[in-house]
Amino acid sequence: MFRRILIANRGEIALRIIRACRELGVEAVCVYSTADKDAPYLKLADRAICIGPAPARESYINIPKIIAAAEIADVDAIHPGYGFLSERADFAQICRDCKIEFIGPSPEAMAKLGDKVECKRTAKAAKVPIFPGSEGAIEDEEEAVKVASEIGYPVIIKASAGGGGRGMKVCHNEATLRTNLRIASQEALAAFGNGAVFIEKFLEHARHVEVQCLGDKHGHAIHLFERDCSTQRRHQKLIEEAPGPLIDRKKRDATCEAAARLIKTAEYSGAATVEFLMDEKQNFYMLEVNTRVQVEHPVTEMITGVDIVKMSILVASGEPLPYKQKDIEIRGHAMECRINAEDPEKNFMPCAGRITTFEPPGGPGVRLDTHVVTGYTVPPNYDSMIGKLIVHADDREQCMNRMARALREFNVGPIKTTIPLHQRLMENADFRKGGVDIHYLERLLK
Ligand code: ADP
């Protein structure tokens, strides 16, 4: 096991990793920008190093500064968390060159699964269901038109290097496809430094179902079942739950097994999530693979009892996964509400500022992953998520009742948060029935 780990992140995930380190008997070194200098979790680390001013490019995604901090603190490994440098194969390679273990996949496995076109190719070989669409990147307009007429409109143009819901264009006919192709490629080049685009079938009504996987360096990979993350706004997830409600078990199991197969084929080690869209007939189509620990990992931890963050550290140190697939069983139901410092009444405008009231919920089955305490000031520079409320219960019905109860106890002010929106959803008949699609929340908010 490692002696000392540097955490190249901030906020709740930095705290989550500190907690895992502490339980593993590993020292945790935090880095922070000046905007986070008073963050309370820094006191829980064994050491905290300032790496620069608030803008992420001058601190949290500044590779030379992160590496310098790692060398000063003499760490064996770096945990990137999510966001920031977590999906940068070049960063993983630099860590390797500096003889620091990157807690995540090898740069090769990351490149293979992180690029969407490359990932689809690997997925196809591993017999993972993918969207009907172009084989690889689109080389010319005529080819795109031919593929689109074969698979039928609407189609979606995506950037191979895309992310964060950007650079996607839905086309309902040949004329829009032709115009959008050129624009999409130029935009992709400008935004991601890679103009490669591809097309796939666009699903009008779909659910977002993703499979949590774990791989080790000994060629072993397992899945920890699925999460449903269909409650989204602008492609941003707001509620996640596990297991996915109203999904045929056979189809679910086949998809989970396919996801684990993909991870194994890519010789992947660490935590990965294989994302799928599921249509109304419950056919699954792979969207992409996230080559890192995800925000919503706790719901899977609650139903399986597996500590995903600890596992990511364990396998990076070279240990084999201590689980076989048959050891993984689902217990009850878990749900996570993302608590964002945003005003749902004002088009989700971010609300940075000082939190003078912070009364967290508690009681049976309630877990709160947050770095916030009374008196904490939310800096305006980063993501607006200030915490995740996760509850676990015997079944979905009791889980929603418990969530409603916990949300009622949760008092944050004076800044606005997404708590009232979550309360509304816990009482919404469609949401309670389960199986809402990815556009449900946006329709509700109109
Ligand atoms: P990104 O990496 O930018 O997040 P994804 O491929 O994960 O891109 O897609 C993000 C979101 O875009 C999905 O959750 C879904 O809402 C929508 N989307 C992507 N592909 C399709 C598709 N083929 N049909 C319908 N919606 C899609």
Side-chain angles (χ1 to χ4, degrees):
M1 184 36 72
F2 303 119
R3 198 170 33 98
R4 193 175 299 137
I5 290 174
L6 180 120
I7 301 165
N9 216 304
R10 64 175 297 281
E12 72 87 18
I13 193 66
L15 175 55
R16 174 71 187 86
I17 301 166
I18 294 173
R19 287 175 169 152
C21 288
R22 188 69 64 221
E23 290 179 18
L24 287 167
V26 176
E27 285 178 35
V29 178
C30 269
V31 293
Y32 63 95
S33 75
T34 50
D36 285 326
K37 68 177 180 4
D38 299 318
Y41 59 87
L42 297 175
K43 290 199 279 292
L44 296 175
D46 293 279
R47 185 169 179 184
I49 299 175
C50 183
I51 49 166
R57 63 178 183 285
E58 292 174 54
S59 48
Y60 296 108
I61 59 170
N62 187 300
I63 295 177
K65 286 186 177 170
I66 300 277
I67 295 290
E71 282 175 346
I72 289 167
D74 188 23
V75 300
D76 316 303
I78 297 182
H79 201 309
Y82 52 68
F84 296 132
L85 295 171
S86 62
E87 293 188 279
R88 293 264 303 265
D90 59 335
F91 179 60
Q93 181 63 48
I94 290 168
C95 289
R96 180 191 274 172
D97 296 342
C98 295
K99 306 223 165 2
I100 298 168
E101 192 65 36
F102 174 81
I103 301 180
S106 67
E108 293 79 16
M110 200 192 282
K112 201 180 268 179
L113 297 184
D115 179 274
K116 290 181 202 244
V117 165
E118 198 54 40
C119 180
K120 273 192 152 181
R121 209 170 278 139
T122 316
K124 202 171 172 194
K127 296 202 164 52
V128 176
I130 56 176
F131 278 96
S134 54
E135 292 248 347
I138 288 283
E139 300 296 340
D140 68 82
E141 208 175 294
E142 295 317 312
E143 182 196 340
V145 171
K146 185 163 165 276
V147 174
S149 67
E150 278 164 20
I151 62 177
Y153 289 90
V155 299
I156 182 167
I157 309 174
K158 291 188 179 180
S160 188
R166 290 184 306 157
M168 294 183 291
K169 291 201 188 308
V170 181
C171 311
H172 290 271
N173 53 51
E174 187 178 322
T176 50
L177 175 63
R178 285 184 189 273
T179 344
N180 280 332
L181 261 180
R182 247 164 301 148
I183 304 174
S185 177
Q186 282 160 6
E187 283 180 4
L189 188 63
F192 312 112
N194 174 355
V197 296
F198 63 99
I199 60 172
E200 65 188 24
K201 180 84 190 151
F202 179 74
L203 289 183
E204 310 263 8
H205 298 282
R207 285 166 63 186
H208 176 114
V209 179
E210 59 183 33
V211 182
Q212 175 69 57
C213 296
L214 285 172
D216 67 19
K217 293 180 177 174
H218 306 273
H220 181 45
I222 59 170
H223 69 78
L224 304 179
F225 294 97
E226 84 285 10
R227 297 184 283 258
D228 185 316
C229 316
S230 301
T231 304
Q232 308 180 351
R233 183 181 164 272
R234 296 196 178 157
H235 303 311
Q236 299 294 316
K237 300 164 184 167
L238 266 164
I239 298 182
E240 302 96 344
E241 61 184 295
L246 313 173
I247 304 180
D248 176 75
R249 272 193 66 174
K250 263 204 178 133
K251 287 188 178 168
R252 190 269 307 272
D253 289 346
T255 308
C256 290
E257 282 157 24
R261 209 158 53 228
L262 174 59
I263 296 313
K264 192 177 159 75
T265 307
E267 297 178 7
Y268 187 101
S269 82
T273 298
V274 185
E275 297 190 328
F276 295 89
L277 287 186
M278 184 183 84
D279 71 13
E280 287 153 304
K281 296 201 181 102
Q282 304 214 339
N283 294 308
F284 286 83
Y285 305 96
M286 189 194 73
L287 270 181
E288 63 168 343
V289 179
N290 289 140
T291 56
R292 54 174 166 81
V293 68
Q294 279 188 286
V295 172
E296 58 272 27
H297 74 274
V299 291
T300 300
E301 295 186 324
M302 302 313 279
I303 62 156
T304 60
V306 176
D307 187 318
I308 294 169
V309 176
K310 258 190 209 166
M311 285 304 125
S312 70
I313 298 172
L314 198 78
V315 298
S317 78
E319 295 278 323
L321 271 177
Y323 301 99
K324 295 203 171 54
Q325 189 63 60
K326 65 170 175 32
D327 301 331
I328 309 299
E329 281 174 18
I330 298 179
R331 247 194 61 242
H333 198 92
M335 196 174 274
E336 169 181 287
C337 287
R338 294 195 192 192
I339 312 301
N340 297 342
E342 293 170 356
D343 188 353
E345 296 290 309
K346 291 201 180 118
N347 202 27
F348 294 82
M349 189 176 72
C351 299
R354 193 170 146 87
I355 297 177
T356 51
T357 305
F358 191 76
E359 293 161 2
V366 175
R367 163 175 171 182
L368 182 65
D369 280 19
T370 182
H371 58 294
V372 173
V373 296
T374 306
Y376 178 79
T377 298
V378 182
N381 316 81
Y382 312 107
D383 184 78
S384 60
M385 196 183 69
I386 55 167
K388 309 180 303 202
L389 176 58
I390 306 113
V391 306
H392 182 237
D394 287 344
D395 57 37
R396 187 169 189 269
E397 176 79 23
Q398 294 183 64
C399 189
M400 290 183 295
N401 294 345
R402 181 163 277 170
M403 183 62 89
R405 184 273 286 172
L407 287 164
R408 202 190 150 115
E409 290 175 19
F410 204 173
N411 191 7
V412 183
I415 63 159
K416 299 283 186 219
T417 71
T418 45
I419 292 173
L421 174 68
H422 289 304
Q423 281 175 315
R424 188 175 153 199
L425 279 162
M426 289 309 133
E427 277 159 22
N428 175 292
D430 295 318
F431 182 81
R432 288 196 76 95
K433 236 188 298 157
V436 298
D437 72 31
I438 46 179
H439 303 296
Y440 181 79
L441 182 60
E442 288 185 350
R443 288 197 298 272
L444 187 73
L445 293 171
K446 257 189 199 152

